[in-house]
């Protein structure tokens, strides 16, 4: 679509051009009049030139702010442009003052060297921080490949809602010390999430039961608490846990249900990670005691 003068990009260009022209002509006027702070309040044209300078600066400042709002990730660029622009205007305004002493060339070279040195240090610091963020994101790639599936698993005879979680290691290296520290699900409409308990079922035949149990009449299953910990999860392997709500619910609760899971794991390089729901993995120090 063809851009018109009222479109957003051309408006921004127009603001920059008009603001730059206003600043230029006002600075020329102030230099010719040899302005001082006293003359600003006593001579009309000196005051008007200074007001025009501020208006031009405001136009460019609003453009920089608009740029930052349109591209929030470019905050560093917007801050750099604002700092550079403000420093240029202040320097130019000071240079046009009637009583200012611009100094010698060595003084200017020394000041410029100090300014560029400070700028280089700032750029190096920002580059170091960006490199650390990138390295940390790369370290978390293996943990991001730990796929989590949460599925309803029906209800038991007591009306307790059951769930099943399957954690699959999609990376090419093993994961260590995988522990599901908490899991809860919303099992009733308009109700708060309910904490779930991990369990496993096993059949315990009586002492007089035959060696081969009749498959048509199996012994009732006994529910026991399950260990929410997997020492080693090999590449491509799965870690499955079954869960039951800690209180009885309606036989047919509404779906889909809300889930909330928290787990910790150690990657193949020995880095310890804490993950909550689908948020980014958080690298933390290895705990000296149990979390939570």
């Amino acid at each position: 679509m063809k851009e018109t003068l009222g479109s957003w990009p051309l408006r921004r260009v127009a603001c920059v051009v008009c603001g730059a022209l206003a600043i230029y002509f006002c600075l020329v006027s102030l230099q010719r009049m040899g302005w001082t702070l006293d003359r600003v309040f006593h001579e009309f044209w000196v005051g008007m030139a200074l007001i025009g300078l501020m208006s031009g600066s405001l136009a460019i400042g609003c453009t920089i702010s608009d740029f930052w709002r349109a591209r929030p990730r470019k905050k560093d660029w917007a801050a750099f442009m604002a700092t550079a622009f403000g420093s240029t205007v202040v320097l130019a305004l000071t240079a046009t003052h009637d009583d200012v002493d611009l100094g010698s060339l060595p003084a200017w070279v020394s000041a410029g060297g100090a300014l560029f040195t400070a700028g280089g240090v700032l750029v190096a610091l920002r580059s170091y921080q960006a490199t650390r963020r990138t390295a940390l994101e790369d370290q978390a790639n293996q943990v991001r490949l730990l796929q989590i599936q949460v599925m309803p698993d029906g209800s038991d005879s007591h009306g307790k809602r059951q769930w099943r979680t399957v954690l699959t290691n999609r990376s090419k290296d093993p994961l260590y010390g995988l522990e599901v520290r908490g899991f809860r699900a919303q099992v009733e409409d308009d109700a708060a999430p309910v904490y779930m308990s991990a369990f496993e079922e096993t059949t315990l035949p009586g002492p007089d039961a035959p060696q081969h149990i009749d498959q048509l009449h199996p012994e009732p299953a006994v529910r026991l608490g399950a260990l929410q910990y997997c020492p080693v999860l090999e590449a491509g392997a799965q870690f499955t846990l079954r869960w039951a709500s800690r209180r009885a619910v309606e036989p047919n609760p509404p779906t889909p249900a809300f889930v909330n899971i928290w787990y910790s794991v150690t990657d193949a390089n020995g880095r310890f990670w804490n993950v909550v729901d689908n948020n980014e993995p958080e690298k933390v120090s290895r705990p000296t005691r149990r979390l939570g």
Side-chain angles (χ1 to χ4, degrees), residues 224-288:
L224 303 173
L227 187 64
Q228 301 171 205
Y229 180 80
C230 178
V232 181
L233 188 64
E234 298 290 346
Q238 293 183 336
F239 177 50
T240 302
L241 283 172
R242 299 183 65 192
W243 305 82
S245 58
R246 296 183 180 178
R247 58 186 175 86
V249 298
E250 296 297 330
N252 298 312
T255 56
F258 167 81
V259 297
N260 189 346
I261 191 168
W262 170 35
Y263 62 92
S264 61
V265 65
T266 302
D267 64 17
N269 293 314
R271 292 180 289 254
F272 188 77
W273 300 89
N274 200 32
V275 186
V276 178
D277 293 337
N278 292 322
N279 298 318
E280 279 292 299
E282 178 187 5
K283 183 180 178 182
V284 296
S285 301
R286 188 182 300 275
T288 56

Side-chain angles (χ1 to χ4, degrees), residues 176-190:
Y176 302 95
L178 173 61
E179 181 175 2
V180 181
R181 300 184 177 276
F183 174 70
R184 58 180 182 169
Q186 183 177 349
V187 294
E188 292 181 332
D189 193 16
D190 299 328

Side-chain angles (χ1 to χ4, degrees), residues 63-110:
T63 304
I64 296 175
S65 176
D66 188 41
F67 170 80
W68 171 55
R69 289 175 179 271
R71 295 177 173 82
R73 294 186 178 182
K74 300 292 185 179
K75 183 178 180 180
D76 292 343
W77 273 104
F80 172 76
M81 289 188 294
T83 303
F85 171 69
S87 302
T88 301
V89 172
V90 171
L91 183 61
L93 187 62
T94 303
T96 59
H97 195 278
D98 191 46
D99 297 332
V100 71
D101 182 10
L102 295 180
S104 61
L105 180 60
W108 276 96
V109 172
S110 177

Side-chain angles (χ1 to χ4, degrees), residues 5-282:
L5 186 60
S7 64
W8 176 72
L10 289 184
R11 283 204 312 268
R12 191 162 62 182
V13 172
C15 286
V16 172
V17 172
C18 293
L21 289 175
I23 292 172
Y24 172 76
F25 286 115
C26 290
L27 284 174
V28 171
S29 299
L30 289 172
Q31 185 193 15
R32 284 180 171 273
M33 290 183 290
W35 75 282
T36 61
L37 188 61
D38 183 66
R39 294 182 63 187
V40 171
F41 298 100
H42 294 87
E43 295 187 20
F44 175 78
W45 292 112
V46 176
M48 289 301 296
L50 194 60
I51 292 175
L53 175 67
M54 291 187 293
S55 299
S57 302
L58 182 62
I60 297 181
C62 290
T63 304
I64 296 175
S65 176
D66 188 41
F67 170 80
W68 171 55
R69 289 175 179 271
R71 295 177 173 82
R73 294 186 178 182
K74 300 292 185 179
K75 183 178 180 180
D76 292 343
W77 273 104
F80 172 76
M81 289 188 294
T83 303
F85 171 69
S87 302
T88 301
V89 172
V90 171
L91 183 61
L93 187 62
T94 303
T96 59
H97 195 278
D98 191 46
D99 297 332
V100 71
D101 182 10
L102 295 180
S104 61
L105 180 60
W108 276 96
V109 172
S110 177
L115 181 63
F116 281 111
T117 300
V121 171
L122 180 61
V123 170
L125 179 61
R126 298 298 298 177
S127 176
Y128 171 72
Q129 292 175 342
T131 302
R132 287 199 61 185
R133 284 196 300 269
T134 302
L136 186 60
E137 291 177 358
D138 291 341
Q139 291 175 7
N141 284 339
Q142 187 189 9
V143 180
R144 291 193 187 99
L145 292 175
L146 181 61
Q147 181 183 9
I148 302 174
Q149 293 177 294
V150 181
M151 300 167 288
D153 200 26
S155 301
D156 62 10
S157 59
H158 300 287
K160 288 188 176 182
R161 186 64 171 172
Q162 299 179 151
W163 291 75
R164 184 186 301 268
T165 57
V166 181
L167 290 86
T168 306
N169 182 9
R170 298 292 185 184
S171 70
K172 62 181 181 179
D173 297 312
L175 293 167
Y176 302 95
L178 173 61
E179 181 175 2
V180 181
R181 300 184 177 276
F183 174 70
R184 58 180 182 169
Q186 183 177 349
V187 294
E188 292 181 332
D189 193 16
D190 299 328
V194 177
Y195 283 96
M196 314 291 280
S197 298
F199 73 91
E200 59 183 8
E201 291 181 338
T202 184
T203 302
L204 299 178
D208 299 330
Q211 184 175 3
H212 299 286
I213 300 176
D214 186 359
Q215 297 298 324
L216 296 178
H217 303 283
E219 293 290 332
V222 177
R223 177 172 296 183
L224 303 173
L227 187 64
Q228 301 171 205
Y229 180 80
C230 178
V232 181
L233 188 64
E234 298 290 346
Q238 293 183 336
F239 177 50
T240 302
L241 283 172
R242 299 183 65 192
W243 305 82
S245 58
R246 296 183 180 178
R247 58 186 175 86
V249 298
E250 296 297 330
N252 298 312
T255 56
F258 167 81
V259 297
N260 189 346
I261 191 168
W262 170 35
Y263 62 92
S264 61
V265 65
T266 302
D267 64 17
N269 293 314
R271 292 180 289 254
F272 188 77
W273 300 89
N274 200 32
V275 186
V276 178
D277 293 337
N278 292 322
N279 298 318
E280 279 292 299
E282 178 187 5

